Every structure is written in structure tokens, then in C-alpha cells.
Amino acid sequence: MTSLKIAVLPGDGIGPEIMAEAIKVLNVLDLPFEMESALVGGAAYDAFGHPLPDATLKLAKESDAVLFGAVGDWKYDTLDRPLRPEQAILGLRKNLGLFANFRPAICYEQLVDASSLKPELVAGLDILIIRELTGDIYFGQPRGRRTAVDGHFPGSEEAFDTMRYSRPEIERIAHVAFQAARKRDKRVTSVDKANVLETFQFWKDVVTEVGKEYPDVALDHMYVDNAAMQLVKAPKKFDVIVTGNMFGDILSDAAAMLTGSIGMLPSASLNAQNQGLYEPSHGSAPDIAGKGIANPLATILSAAMMLRFSLQQADAADRIESAVQSVLAQGLRTVDIYSAGTTKVGTREMGDAVVAAITKTTKG
Ligand code: IPM
Ligand code: MG
């Protein structure tokens, strides 16, 4: 088998700790990985003066997949925007063309009580948010600051961004959503703000057109404000949600919280060649960095997604996912998902338990 090249970018905060556990898990799979690490985010800024050094970007581009930890720390908040850790992730998305972001929100049976919603609302929850990741107001030009020539206060200082989507950008993410739905419950909800925004009336029109190519998939449309409401009212009614970059950013955080365990949720960002960046849905949690208590499961599950989507190793992905199920069934919990009657473990113990569960299935 040709080697599978993985760029390992641990980043900041709890990033290095959780990444160490994911690497440990990958290493017991006995696959020909070629892993190379590089600095990213604040750690890269400290060492090289830039959150996404050329060498890191080059490594990412040359790899089959990128396994990413997390970036950011309050201490970088006063830097100029282009030097902040978040720019590393935006730069990777843009430079690798990672337009399709998969954010599953799954409520694990054993963790139903960790949700802030009533158990009956979230038990069995399994939704998939597909967020367009390289367009919209995040990347739209022009943007900047200037003196207003019109508006409510002409002559005053103002800032502006540009929301825009082209037809091909909408078409390709719509195809991704319909194809993903075919492997699930065959339902897509496209989330927009067509009642107010030109960009999202166009979004809705184009998604509707693409939907005609998928007569087996049911398509409905929802305004983003209503979608936010429905997510906390009756989240199980959704199957696949497809939406733009900014709405997807907001709704995916809400959806993650429904599961009560953002520390458990992986995510994948893919380009047209299926090259992908895989990262936990949570952030760098600088407040608990270095304490050995962070939950490594989202990163471990991101590694499983990586095996499935970019490295064509579905069996290995299954083995990781069953191992995670099995450690949860054993009652092991990091502090973020701990509840009475379960066993509290640290980051490393959790990683070790996943490794043990994998080795056990291999031998047995
Ligand atoms: C996310 C994050 C990023 C985003 C930030 C860190 C730039 O919130 O991945 O959801 O807004 O996309
Ligand atoms: Mg976000």
C-alpha cells in the first residue's frame, strides 16, 4: 500500500494534548502512515511571526489529509487581524479550497443527560450540518473601513463586508448535501435568509434547481432565524442542513451544544479532490490547557473521519468509532462529559482506553 501522508497541526491551547492521543490511536492501526508535524496558529506566530507559515501551508498542500488540533488564545486578541491564530484556519480553508464542511451533531446514548435540553428532545439525535466554507461574507471582497458617503451618518467612519455567492459555489455545495443525504435519511433542509438578502434568494433558487437532479431526496427551505428556533425546539426533525458560511458557523455551534458534548464532535472540511482538513468542533480551551483534562475524543473521531473520507480506510475508521463507543460504555468520562456514577479520567487515560479497545478487537 502506498503511504498515507498526514500533516499533523496540533496548534494552541489543548491542541497538542488532544493531538497526542489521536496520534497514539492512529499508530496502533498498523497502516502505512507518513505523519509530519508543523506549527500553526499562535504557536507558529510565536516561533515564526505568522500563524500560517509558508512551510506549514506547503506541508498541508502536499499531504493527503490534515489533522488539525485547535488554534487561539486570548493573548493574541490584540494582534492585527492578519496575524491572529484564526487566520491560519481561514488561510488553510482558502488555500486548499476546502469548501465543504461536514459538522455532524450526534447525541451519544450514554451522554443524553449531558445536554442542556430535555433528554427526550435529543435522545437519538443524528443531524449533519453541511456548511459552505470558502465563500459568503467571510471571504467576500470588498471589505474594510472608510468614510461613509451615504447611509444614516454620511461623513462618519464606517466598516463594511461583502456577502456574495456565485452559482458554481452554491451548486457544488448543494451537490455535496444531496449526495450526503442519499446515504442518510434522504432529507435536506436548505437554510437561507431569502426574505431579506439577495444573496440568499439566489442561494435558494440554485439549491432548488440542483435538487431537481435528486428526486429521491426531499428538499425543504427554512429561514435561518426559524432554523435556530427549530434546532432548540425539535432538533430531531432535521436530517441534513445545508447553508452558507456564516449561518453555518452559528447554527453548528448551537447544534453541537444540543449533544451536550462538544468535546465529542469531529468535523471535516473537504475540497473537490477529497483532500481534507479534520478537526474537533471545539476550540483551543486555553483555560484548561496543560492540565491533562481535555477530552481527546473529538480529535480521535476526527482522525476516524479522515480515514474514511480522505484516506479510503473505512474499516480502520469503523474500528476507532467502535472503540470510542466501547470506552463510553465502560463508563469512562473526561470532566466535560462526566456525570454521577461514571468514572472520571484525564486526557491520556481516555486515549489509552481507546487504544486498548482497538487492540482488544484486533486480538479477539
Ligand atoms: C469555526 C470557527 C471559525 C469560523 C473561526 C475560528 C475563524 O468559529 O470553525 O466554526 O468562524 O469559521
Ligand atoms: Mg464557529
Side-chain angles (χ1 to χ4, degrees):
M1 193 193 289
T2 52
S3 70
L4 309 168
K5 186 155 185 203
I6 305 172
V8 176
L9 311 183
D12 307 321
I14 58 171
E17 294 161 67
I18 53 180
M19 187 61 80
E21 301 314 308
I23 301 295
K24 218 152 76 180
V25 169
L26 286 171
N27 279 334
V28 293
L29 293 171
D30 204 22
L31 286 168
F33 295 126
E34 196 189 310
M35 297 190 220
E36 193 175 329
S37 299
L39 294 178
V40 75
Y45 173 79
D46 289 342
F48 306 115
H50 196 279
L52 183 57
D54 289 342
T56 303
L57 181 58
K58 183 164 178 279
L59 172 69
K61 280 189 171 163
E62 288 168 358
S63 302
D64 300 308
V66 178
L67 192 58
F68 190 93
V71 292
D73 190 308
W74 307 296
K75 70 178 187 203
Y76 304 109
D77 282 356
T78 51
L79 290 175
D80 284 347
R81 185 173 306 282
L83 296 178
R84 290 191 206 160
E86 292 77 14
Q87 293 303 312
I89 183 83
L90 296 173
L92 283 164
R93 288 172 185 171
K94 186 175 172 187
N95 284 289
L96 273 67
L98 305 170
F99 71 94
N101 182 214
F102 290 71
R103 298 196 167 182
I106 293 169
C107 186
Y108 286 83
E109 192 192 315
Q110 295 97 343
L111 303 179
V112 168
D113 292 319
S115 173
S116 50
L117 294 197
K118 293 188 192 112
E120 61 270 28
L121 286 183
V122 294
L125 179 77
D126 178 359
I127 63 183
L128 174 61
I129 297 191
I130 295 186
R131 167 186 177 196
E132 198 291 328
L133 206 57
T134 49
D136 203 353
I137 198 165
Y138 266 59
F139 292 97
Q141 294 290 345
R143 57 188 279 163
R145 294 195 185 200
R146 62 187 173 195
T147 302
V149 292
D150 49 17
H152 295 295
F153 294 97
S156 66
E157 206 191 344
E158 73 172 8
F160 64 103
D161 296 278
T162 302
M163 176 177 273
R164 59 191 286 184
Y165 265 122
S166 62
R167 173 178 284 276
E169 282 177 296
I170 305 170
E171 284 174 350
R172 66 181 180 178
I173 194 73
H175 282 293
V176 167
F178 287 114
Q179 280 162 21
R182 273 191 172 157
K183 296 186 191 140
R184 302 171 45 100
D185 202 32
K186 300 190 171 53
R187 291 182 294 122
V188 170
T189 303
S190 170
V191 170
D192 62 58
K193 191 70 190 174
N195 50 346
V196 178
L197 302 172
E198 203 57 43
T199 310
F200 276 90
Q201 179 61 58
F202 185 53
W203 171 282
K204 184 175 180 177
D205 295 345
V206 174
V207 173
T208 305
E209 282 172 37
V210 174
K212 298 203 176 100
E213 295 175 39
Y214 298 86
D216 52 322
V217 178
L219 169 66
D220 69 345
H221 303 271
M222 201 179 272
Y223 297 141
V224 62
D225 47 351
N226 186 27
M229 189 161 77
Q230 297 307 322
L231 266 179
V232 289
K233 187 179 168 206
K236 284 193 265 185
K237 288 201 179 143
F238 293 105
D239 179 26
V240 173
I241 292 177
V242 64
T243 190
N245 205 343
M246 183 157 68
F247 298 157
D249 177 44
I250 301 166
L251 293 182
S252 61
D253 264 26
M257 211 53 226
L258 298 176
T259 70
S261 48
I262 189 161
M264 298 283 304
L265 300 178
S267 76
S269 306
L270 299 178
N271 66 17
Q273 295 77 42
N274 261 347
Q275 193 190 17
L277 181 146
Y278 299 82
E279 58 174 326
S281 289
H282 60 71
S284 57
D287 52 326
I288 59 162
K291 294 191 178 158
I293 57 172
N295 188 344
L297 293 178
T299 312
I300 291 171
L301 290 167
S302 298
M305 272 183 120
M306 171 180 82
L307 288 164
R308 178 169 292 117
F309 286 130
S310 288
L311 304 180
Q312 274 63 54
Q313 298 294 331
D315 290 349
D318 287 345
R319 285 169 67 200
I320 295 182
E321 284 161 1
S322 339
V324 168
Q325 292 280 0
S326 123
V327 300
L328 290 178
Q330 288 162 37
L332 304 184
R333 304 281 188 273
T334 41
V335 59
D336 56 310
I337 51 175
Y338 175 77
S339 60
T342 60
T343 312
K344 203 181 284 179
V345 296
T347 310
R348 208 173 298 157
E349 287 165 281
M350 190 58 113
D352 289 342
V354 175
V355 165
I358 292 177
T359 356
K360 205 165 118 201
T361 53
T362 317
K363 289 195 186 115

